[in-house]
PDB file of all heavy atoms in Angstrom:
ATOM      1  N   GLN A  16     -44.059  -3.105  12.249  1.00  0.00           N
ATOM      2  CA  GLN A  16     -44.849  -4.132  12.950  1.00  0.00           C
ATOM      3  C   GLN A  16     -43.917  -5.013  13.770  1.00  0.00           C
ATOM      4  O   GLN A  16     -42.977  -5.600  13.242  1.00  0.00           O
ATOM      5  CB  GLN A  16     -45.592  -5.011  11.944  1.00  0.00           C
ATOM      6  CG  GLN A  16     -46.405  -6.119  12.619  1.00  0.00           C
ATOM      7  CD  GLN A  16     -46.856  -7.142  11.619  1.00  0.00           C
ATOM      8  OE1 GLN A  16     -46.359  -7.193  10.510  1.00  0.00           O
ATOM      9  NE2 GLN A  16     -47.795  -7.962  12.013  1.00  0.00           N
ATOM     10  N   GLU A  17     -44.161  -5.063  15.064  1.00  0.00           N
ATOM     11  CA  GLU A  17     -43.331  -5.897  15.924  1.00  0.00           C
ATOM     12  C   GLU A  17     -43.790  -7.349  15.819  1.00  0.00           C
ATOM     13  O   GLU A  17     -44.971  -7.645  15.932  1.00  0.00           O
ATOM     14  CB  GLU A  17     -43.452  -5.424  17.382  1.00  0.00           C
ATOM     15  CG  GLU A  17     -42.900  -4.041  17.626  1.00  0.00           C
ATOM     16  CD  GLU A  17     -41.384  -4.016  17.539  1.00  0.00           C
ATOM     17  OE1 GLU A  17     -40.773  -5.093  17.567  1.00  0.00           O
ATOM     18  OE2 GLU A  17     -40.827  -2.913  17.427  1.00  0.00           O
ATOM     19  N   LYS A  18     -42.838  -8.235  15.620  1.00  0.00           N
ATOM     20  CA  LYS A  18     -43.157  -9.651  15.510  1.00  0.00           C
ATOM     21  C   LYS A  18     -42.955 -10.341  16.850  1.00  0.00           C
ATOM     22  O   LYS A  18     -42.073  -9.990  17.624  1.00  0.00           O
ATOM     23  CB  LYS A  18     -42.276 -10.318  14.459  1.00  0.00           C
ATOM     24  CG  LYS A  18     -42.577  -9.869  13.033  1.00  0.00           C
ATOM     25  CD  LYS A  18     -41.733 -10.652  12.056  1.00  0.00           C
ATOM     26  CE  LYS A  18     -42.057 -10.278  10.615  1.00  0.00           C
ATOM     27  NZ  LYS A  18     -41.258 -11.044   9.637  1.00  0.00           N
ATOM     28  N   SER A  19     -43.760 -11.353  17.085  1.00  0.00           N
ATOM     29  CA  SER A  19     -43.643 -12.118  18.316  1.00  0.00           C
ATOM     30  C   SER A  19     -42.607 -13.220  18.134  1.00  0.00           C
ATOM     31  O   SER A  19     -42.220 -13.545  17.028  1.00  0.00           O
ATOM     32  CB  SER A  19     -44.999 -12.746  18.666  1.00  0.00           C
ATOM     33  OG  SER A  19     -45.283 -13.798  17.777  1.00  0.00           O
ATOM     34  N   PRO A  20     -42.143 -13.846  19.235  1.00  0.00           N
ATOM     35  CA  PRO A  20     -41.171 -14.924  19.131  1.00  0.00           C
ATOM     36  C   PRO A  20     -41.683 -16.091  18.295  1.00  0.00           C
ATOM     37  O   PRO A  20     -40.906 -16.814  17.696  1.00  0.00           O
ATOM     38  CB  PRO A  20     -40.955 -15.346  20.601  1.00  0.00           C
ATOM     39  CG  PRO A  20     -41.273 -14.120  21.383  1.00  0.00           C
ATOM     40  CD  PRO A  20     -42.382 -13.446  20.630  1.00  0.00           C
ATOM     41  N   LEU A  21     -42.997 -16.310  18.267  1.00  0.00           N
ATOM     42  CA  LEU A  21     -43.554 -17.413  17.489  1.00  0.00           C
ATOM     43  C   LEU A  21     -43.340 -17.217  16.005  1.00  0.00           C
ATOM     44  O   LEU A  21     -43.268 -18.179  15.242  1.00  0.00           O
ATOM     45  CB  LEU A  21     -45.056 -17.554  17.783  1.00  0.00           C
ATOM     46  CG  LEU A  21     -45.428 -18.087  19.159  1.00  0.00           C
ATOM     47  CD1 LEU A  21     -46.932 -18.015  19.352  1.00  0.00           C
ATOM     48  CD2 LEU A  21     -44.933 -19.489  19.357  1.00  0.00           C
ATOM     49  N   ALA A  22     -43.252 -15.960  15.577  1.00  0.00           N
ATOM     50  CA  ALA A  22     -43.099 -15.696  14.151  1.00  0.00           C
ATOM     51  C   ALA A  22     -41.795 -16.252  13.621  1.00  0.00           C
ATOM     52  O   ALA A  22     -41.673 -16.605  12.450  1.00  0.00           O
ATOM     53  CB  ALA A  22     -43.160 -14.195  13.888  1.00  0.00           C
ATOM     54  N   ASN A  23     -40.794 -16.359  14.480  1.00  0.00           N
ATOM     55  CA  ASN A  23     -39.501 -16.858  14.045  1.00  0.00           C
ATOM     56  C   ASN A  23     -39.525 -18.344  13.749  1.00  0.00           C
ATOM     57  O   ASN A  23     -38.581 -18.893  13.177  1.00  0.00           O
ATOM     58  CB  ASN A  23     -38.446 -16.583  15.130  1.00  0.00           C
ATOM     59  CG  ASN A  23     -38.253 -15.094  15.343  1.00  0.00           C
ATOM     60  OD1 ASN A  23     -38.323 -14.322  14.402  1.00  0.00           O
ATOM     61  ND2 ASN A  23     -38.022 -14.694  16.591  1.00  0.00           N
ATOM     62  N   LEU A  24     -40.595 -19.028  14.163  1.00  0.00           N
ATOM     63  CA  LEU A  24     -40.695 -20.462  13.921  1.00  0.00           C
ATOM     64  C   LEU A  24     -41.128 -20.771  12.504  1.00  0.00           C
ATOM     65  O   LEU A  24     -40.978 -21.886  12.033  1.00  0.00           O
ATOM     66  CB  LEU A  24     -41.696 -21.097  14.912  1.00  0.00           C
ATOM     67  CG  LEU A  24     -41.283 -21.028  16.379  1.00  0.00           C
ATOM     68  CD1 LEU A  24     -42.425 -21.529  17.249  1.00  0.00           C
ATOM     69  CD2 LEU A  24     -40.036 -21.846  16.626  1.00  0.00           C
ATOM     70  N   ALA A 113     -43.829 -19.442  24.598  1.00  0.00           N
ATOM     71  CA  ALA A 113     -43.487 -18.367  23.660  1.00  0.00           C
ATOM     72  C   ALA A 113     -44.578 -17.309  23.631  1.00  0.00           C
ATOM     73  O   ALA A 113     -44.312 -16.112  23.496  1.00  0.00           O
ATOM     74  CB  ALA A 113     -43.265 -18.945  22.267  1.00  0.00           C
ATOM     75  N   THR A 114     -45.823 -17.760  23.775  1.00  0.00           N
ATOM     76  CA  THR A 114     -46.943 -16.818  23.832  1.00  0.00           C
ATOM     77  C   THR A 114     -46.858 -15.953  25.083  1.00  0.00           C
ATOM     78  O   THR A 114     -47.181 -14.759  25.053  1.00  0.00           O
ATOM     79  CB  THR A 114     -48.286 -17.580  23.830  1.00  0.00           C
ATOM     80  OG1 THR A 114     -48.337 -18.433  22.693  1.00  0.00           O
ATOM     81  CG2 THR A 114     -49.457 -16.604  23.766  1.00  0.00           C
ATOM     82  N   ILE A 116     -44.110 -14.952  26.494  1.00  0.00           N
ATOM     83  CA  ILE A 116     -43.113 -13.917  26.180  1.00  0.00           C
ATOM     84  C   ILE A 116     -43.739 -12.844  25.284  1.00  0.00           C
ATOM     85  O   ILE A 116     -43.520 -11.641  25.470  1.00  0.00           O
ATOM     86  CB  ILE A 116     -41.893 -14.561  25.493  1.00  0.00           C
ATOM     87  CG1 ILE A 116     -41.222 -15.564  26.424  1.00  0.00           C
ATOM     88  CG2 ILE A 116     -40.891 -13.479  25.070  1.00  0.00           C
ATOM     89  CD1 ILE A 116     -40.123 -16.364  25.771  1.00  0.00           C
ATOM     90  N   THR A 117     -44.542 -13.286  24.319  1.00  0.00           N
ATOM     91  CA  THR A 117     -45.213 -12.355  23.419  1.00  0.00           C
ATOM     92  C   THR A 117     -46.129 -11.406  24.175  1.00  0.00           C
ATOM     93  O   THR A 117     -46.146 -10.191  23.939  1.00  0.00           O
ATOM     94  CB  THR A 117     -46.033 -13.129  22.371  1.00  0.00           C
ATOM     95  OG1 THR A 117     -45.163 -14.002  21.654  1.00  0.00           O
ATOM     96  CG2 THR A 117     -46.714 -12.186  21.391  1.00  0.00           C
ATOM     97  N   LEU A 118     -46.919 -11.962  25.105  1.00  0.00           N
ATOM     98  CA  LEU A 118     -47.860 -11.145  25.868  1.00  0.00           C
ATOM     99  C   LEU A 118     -47.131 -10.190  26.802  1.00  0.00           C
ATOM    100  O   LEU A 118     -47.542  -9.041  26.982  1.00  0.00           O
ATOM    101  CB  LEU A 118     -48.801 -12.059  26.664  1.00  0.00           C
ATOM    102  CG  LEU A 118     -49.728 -12.965  25.830  1.00  0.00           C
ATOM    103  CD1 LEU A 118     -50.508 -13.903  26.736  1.00  0.00           C
ATOM    104  CD2 LEU A 118     -50.686 -12.127  24.995  1.00  0.00           C
ATOM    105  N   LEU A 120     -44.172  -8.899  26.330  1.00  0.00           N
ATOM    106  CA  LEU A 120     -43.555  -7.852  25.514  1.00  0.00           C
ATOM    107  C   LEU A 120     -44.588  -7.021  24.752  1.00  0.00           C
ATOM    108  O   LEU A 120     -44.225  -6.109  23.992  1.00  0.00           O
ATOM    109  CB  LEU A 120     -42.571  -8.486  24.523  1.00  0.00           C
ATOM    110  CG  LEU A 120     -41.373  -9.226  25.135  1.00  0.00           C
ATOM    111  CD1 LEU A 120     -40.518  -9.847  24.042  1.00  0.00           C
ATOM    112  CD2 LEU A 120     -40.547  -8.278  25.995  1.00  0.00           C
ATOM    113  N   ASN A 121     -45.867  -7.385  24.930  1.00  0.00           N
ATOM    114  CA  ASN A 121     -46.950  -6.638  24.278  1.00  0.00           C
ATOM    115  C   ASN A 121     -46.824  -6.654  22.750  1.00  0.00           C
ATOM    116  O   ASN A 121     -47.083  -5.667  22.074  1.00  0.00           O
ATOM    117  CB  ASN A 121     -46.992  -5.194  24.786  1.00  0.00           C
ATOM    118  CG  ASN A 121     -48.340  -4.532  24.509  1.00  0.00           C
ATOM    119  OD1 ASN A 121     -49.368  -5.220  24.403  1.00  0.00           O
ATOM    120  ND2 ASN A 121     -48.349  -3.227  24.373  1.00  0.00           N
ATOM    121  N   LYS A 122     -46.424  -7.827  22.222  1.00  0.00           N
ATOM    122  CA  LYS A 122     -46.310  -7.985  20.771  1.00  0.00           C
ATOM    123  C   LYS A 122     -47.621  -8.537  20.201  1.00  0.00           C
ATOM    124  O   LYS A 122     -48.454  -9.104  20.910  1.00  0.00           O
ATOM    125  CB  LYS A 122     -45.159  -8.939  20.439  1.00  0.00           C
ATOM    126  CG  LYS A 122     -43.806  -8.500  20.975  1.00  0.00           C
ATOM    127  CD  LYS A 122     -43.303  -7.283  20.273  1.00  0.00           C
ATOM    128  CE  LYS A 122     -41.917  -6.890  20.773  1.00  0.00           C
ATOM    129  NZ  LYS A 122     -40.893  -7.874  20.426  1.00  0.00           N
ATOM    130  N   ARG A 123     -47.782  -8.385  18.877  1.00  0.00           N
ATOM    131  CA  ARG A 123     -48.994  -8.852  18.209  1.00  0.00           C
ATOM    132  C   ARG A 123     -48.873 -10.328  17.849  1.00  0.00           C
ATOM    133  O   ARG A 123     -47.814 -10.801  17.439  1.00  0.00           O
ATOM    134  CB  ARG A 123     -49.231  -8.055  16.923  1.00  0.00           C
ATOM    135  CG  ARG A 123     -50.597  -8.272  16.289  1.00  0.00           C
ATOM    136  CD  ARG A 123     -50.738  -7.418  15.052  1.00  0.00           C
ATOM    137  NE  ARG A 123     -49.859  -7.860  13.979  1.00  0.00           N
ATOM    138  CZ  ARG A 123     -50.196  -8.815  13.100  1.00  0.00           C
ATOM    139  NH1 ARG A 123     -51.367  -9.403  13.183  1.00  0.00           N
ATOM    140  NH2 ARG A 123     -49.361  -9.157  12.143  1.00  0.00           N
ATOM    141  N   ILE A 124     -49.972 -11.083  18.022  1.00  0.00           N
ATOM    142  CA  ILE A 124     -50.008 -12.493  17.653  1.00  0.00           C
ATOM    143  C   ILE A 124     -50.737 -12.609  16.320  1.00  0.00           C
ATOM    144  O   ILE A 124     -51.922 -12.300  16.215  1.00  0.00           O
ATOM    145  CB  ILE A 124     -50.717 -13.337  18.731  1.00  0.00           C
ATOM    146  CG1 ILE A 124     -49.960 -13.198  20.057  1.00  0.00           C
ATOM    147  CG2 ILE A 124     -50.801 -14.792  18.313  1.00  0.00           C
ATOM    148  CD1 ILE A 124     -50.599 -13.937  21.195  1.00  0.00           C
ATOM    149  N   SER A 125     -50.034 -13.066  15.305  1.00  0.00           N
ATOM    150  CA  SER A 125     -50.581 -13.114  13.953  1.00  0.00           C
ATOM    151  C   SER A 125     -51.538 -14.287  13.767  1.00  0.00           C
ATOM    152  O   SER A 125     -51.679 -15.150  14.643  1.00  0.00           O
ATOM    153  CB  SER A 125     -49.447 -13.213  12.929  1.00  0.00           C
ATOM    154  OG  SER A 125     -48.823 -14.479  13.034  1.00  0.00           O
ATOM    155  N   GLU A 128     -49.772 -17.646  13.845  1.00  0.00           N
ATOM    156  CA  GLU A 128     -49.436 -18.032  15.206  1.00  0.00           C
ATOM    157  C   GLU A 128     -50.670 -18.507  15.969  1.00  0.00           C
ATOM    158  O   GLU A 128     -50.589 -19.405  16.810  1.00  0.00           O
ATOM    159  CB  GLU A 128     -48.762 -16.854  15.913  1.00  0.00           C
ATOM    160  CG  GLU A 128     -47.382 -16.548  15.337  1.00  0.00           C
ATOM    161  CD  GLU A 128     -46.986 -15.106  15.489  1.00  0.00           C
ATOM    162  OE1 GLU A 128     -47.707 -14.367  16.192  1.00  0.00           O
ATOM    163  OE2 GLU A 128     -45.965 -14.700  14.903  1.00  0.00           O
TER     164      GLU A 128
END
Side-chain angles (χ1 to χ4, degrees):
Q16 179 193 15
E17 295 289 345
K18 291 184 177 181
S19 72
L21 289 173
N23 296 324
L24 296 173
T114 305
I116 298 173
T117 302
L118 296 175
L120 297 178
N121 199 26
K122 302 291 183 67
R123 191 179 68 86
I124 300 178
S125 69
E128 292 152 9

